[in-house]
């Protein structure tokens, strides 16, 4: 396991999936204003904190951990994110978009695999 996982950081790098930014934005368009505001709040929180371990959906063999993060004031949705653990320093976090709360981990894993263009995917 990455030595820095589940620690606080000073302004971790937040990334967006290359070639999928429009999809990320579209996944949020239908949400209520409080829900969208809480996504912005989560982004700020994730710059310095890892997602809660209870929101973990799995780890790809290359060192990418997938989460479906609870969004306050947004009961039916989760924020799909991934951490890249195979780097030194604070692991960068990638925002993948909003998924339905029902089967959120399956949807988050699918988004991460597609957004990271993973052909050979093996879950640990």
């Amino acid at each position: 396991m990455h030595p820095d996982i589940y620690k606080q950081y000073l302004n971790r790098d937040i990334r967006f999936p290359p070639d999928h930014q429009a999809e990320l934005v579209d996944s949020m368009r239908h949400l209520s204003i409080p829900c969208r505001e809480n996504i912005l709040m989560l982004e700020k929180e994730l710059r310095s904190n890892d997602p809660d371990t209870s929101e973990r959906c799995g780890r790809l063999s290359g060192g990418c951990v997938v989460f479906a993060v609870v969004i306050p004031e947004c009961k039916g949705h989760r924020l799909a994110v991934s951490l890249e653990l195979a780097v030194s320093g604070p692991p960068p976090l990638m925002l993948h978009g909003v998924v339905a709360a029902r089967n959120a981990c399956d949807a988050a894993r699918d988004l991460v695999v597609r957004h990271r263009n993973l052909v050979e995917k093996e879950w640990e």
Side-chain angles (χ1 to χ4, degrees):
M1 183 172 279
H2 191 277
D4 292 336
I5 191 75
Y6 308 121
K7 290 173 58 176
Q8 281 201 314
Y9 305 102
L10 297 173
N11 207 20
R12 171 208 325 263
D13 189 23
I14 303 286
R15 299 177 180 169
F16 305 99
D19 304 319
H20 297 280
Q21 288 94 345
E23 179 185 359
L24 172 67
V25 171
D26 287 343
S27 75
M28 299 177 194
R29 285 191 198 278
H30 69 284
L31 302 174
S32 68
I33 290 173
C35 186
R36 286 184 283 181
E37 288 172 346
N38 282 323
I39 290 171
L40 293 173
M41 181 268 313
L42 274 176
E43 180 186 354
K44 289 179 183 176
E45 183 178 321
L46 290 168
R47 286 189 184 279
S48 58
N49 296 288
D50 285 330
D52 192 279
T53 57
S54 67
E55 299 168 324
R56 188 174 190 232
C57 296
R59 179 180 172 156
L60 286 160
S61 57
C64 174
V65 181
V66 179
F67 295 87
V69 179
V70 172
I71 306 167
E73 304 293 324
C74 204
K75 283 187 178 182
H77 301 89
R78 302 284 183 271
L79 183 62
V81 302
S82 63
L83 283 175
E84 185 61 52
L85 301 182
V87 298
S88 61
L93 184 129
M94 185 175 287
L95 297 177
H96 294 279
V98 175
V99 296
R102 185 178 190 142
N103 301 317
C105 277
D106 291 337
R109 285 191 293 261
D110 289 345
L111 271 180
V112 170
V113 166
R114 189 163 45 80
H115 288 174
R116 290 184 177 268
N117 298 315
L118 301 173
V119 178
E120 304 263 338
K121 56 185 186 295
E122 186 176 321
W123 293 96
E124 295 178 358

